[in-house]
Amino acid sequence: KAGVTQTPRYLIKTRGQQVTLSCSPISGHRSVSWYQQTPGQGLQFLFEYFSETQRNKGNFPGRFSGRQFSNSRSEMNVSTLELGDSALYLCASSSGSEQYFGPGTRLTVT
Amino acid sequence: SQQGEEDPQALSIQEGENATMNCSYKTSINNLQWYRQNSGRGLVHLILIRSNEREKHSGRLRVTLDTSKKSSSLLITASRAADTASYFCASTDSWGKLQFGAGTQVVVTP
């Protein structure tokens, strides 16, 4: 089975812009979760989608949003980028308790 | 904010030695998982221990869970240079949300 894939792998954006990241889960997995990883805050849960519905949400501002499509692929969007949004964004898919992570998208905001 | 603390923050050992790291969490959990991350890449699932289990083994890994103390430990026996990575514990709450600890950086020198 192919693993979780994330695109793009690296991204540089300017403050005030918006960005969309994509995640393709392992075939058959219906749950997709997103995490933000920074040196200062560590790994923080953003949200989880299951069957196109947001099932769980972390403590992030409304600038962070996501969605899931009928094929379980998911996107997350960050609007009005701030310097502090620079991070590694990780997506994980699961069919049970164990989560399988993608390689991440490294976002740099300048 | 993160669910738990990990101790130590960093650990340096020689090949063949054992590495032990501890994790504490704050709320009731369904299970606790340990992940490994190599240098800013995706996380790899190592082992899951359920809240009604006290100890679990997988290859060179041994995990313990003490729900009365809200703590877990990961032991890597006979460490190898390839074990050099950051190790994270993650607790799953009753809502299914995964909360990560701050991580322990392990360096294994030949």
Side-chain angles (χ1 to χ4, degrees):
Chain A
K1 262 186 183 177
V4 178
T5 59
Q6 291 186 246
T7 57
R9 292 293 310 279
Y10 301 92
L11 201 50
I12 300 175
K13 303 288 278 186
T14 305
R15 264 183 306 178
Q17 289 185 315
Q18 66 96 26
V19 68
T20 299
L21 312 181
S22 180
C23 171
S24 292
I26 291 172
S27 177
H29 287 190
R30 293 164 66 188
S31 168
V32 174
S33 299
W34 288 89
Y35 298 85
Q36 181 198 63
Q37 186 177 28
T38 60
Q41 298 296 317
L43 274 155
Q44 293 192 282
F45 172 77
L46 279 156
F47 27 66
E48 181 205 2
Y49 286 87
F50 182 85
S51 293
E52 301 179 66
T53 301
Q54 189 179 85
R55 187 158 72 171
N56 272 310
K57 189 176 186 306
N59 297 322
F60 277 81
R63 299 185 298 107
F64 292 81
S65 63
R67 59 177 175 169
Q68 187 179 33
F69 302 95
S70 58
N71 62 358
S72 293
R73 190 177 70 84
S74 176
E75 288 182 347
M76 68 162 280
N77 184 277
V78 188
S79 62
T80 320
L81 284 165
E82 300 176 0
L83 294 179
D85 297 333
S86 293
L88 181 66
Y89 290 88
L90 293 162
C91 146
S93 75
S94 71
S95 61
S97 298
E98 189 176 320
Q99 297 205 356
Y100 295 85
F101 283 79
T105 294
R106 172 77 61 185
L107 171 65
T108 301
V109 182
T110 62
Chain B
S1 62
Q2 296 184 73
Q3 164 74 308
E5 303 293 324
E6 290 192 53
D7 172 63
Q9 285 187 323
L11 181 60
S12 182
I13 54 175
Q14 290 193 307
E15 267 190 328
E17 294 182 334
N18 296 343
T20 300
M21 58 210 87
N22 303 294
C23 160
S24 63
Y25 56 92
K26 296 173 185 172
T27 61
S28 297
I29 61 170
N30 285 344
N31 62 63
L32 188 136
Q33 304 177 51
W34 286 88
Y35 288 83
R36 185 186 72 219
Q37 184 179 38
N38 289 86
S39 190
R41 299 169 74 176
L43 279 75
V44 174
H45 184 268
L46 294 176
I47 194 166
L48 178 151
I49 185 165
R50 301 192 189 285
S51 59
N52 61 353
E53 296 176 309
R54 291 298 166 256
E55 188 170 313
K56 201 161 182 181
H57 296 254
S58 176
R60 294 183 296 112
L61 305 179
R62 174 178 165 253
V63 169
T64 63
L65 179 65
D66 187 336
T67 52
S68 67
K69 294 180 180 177
K70 291 188 167 58
S71 68
S72 174
S73 69
L74 170 68
L75 166 69
I76 305 173
T77 59
S79 61
R80 305 166 182 168
D83 295 329
T84 294
S86 291
Y87 292 83
F88 295 89
C89 69
S91 54
T92 306
D93 64 19
S94 55
W95 296 98
K97 286 171 65 173
L98 207 58
Q99 303 275 7
F100 283 87
T104 294
Q105 282 186 303
V106 176
V107 174
V108 182
T109 53

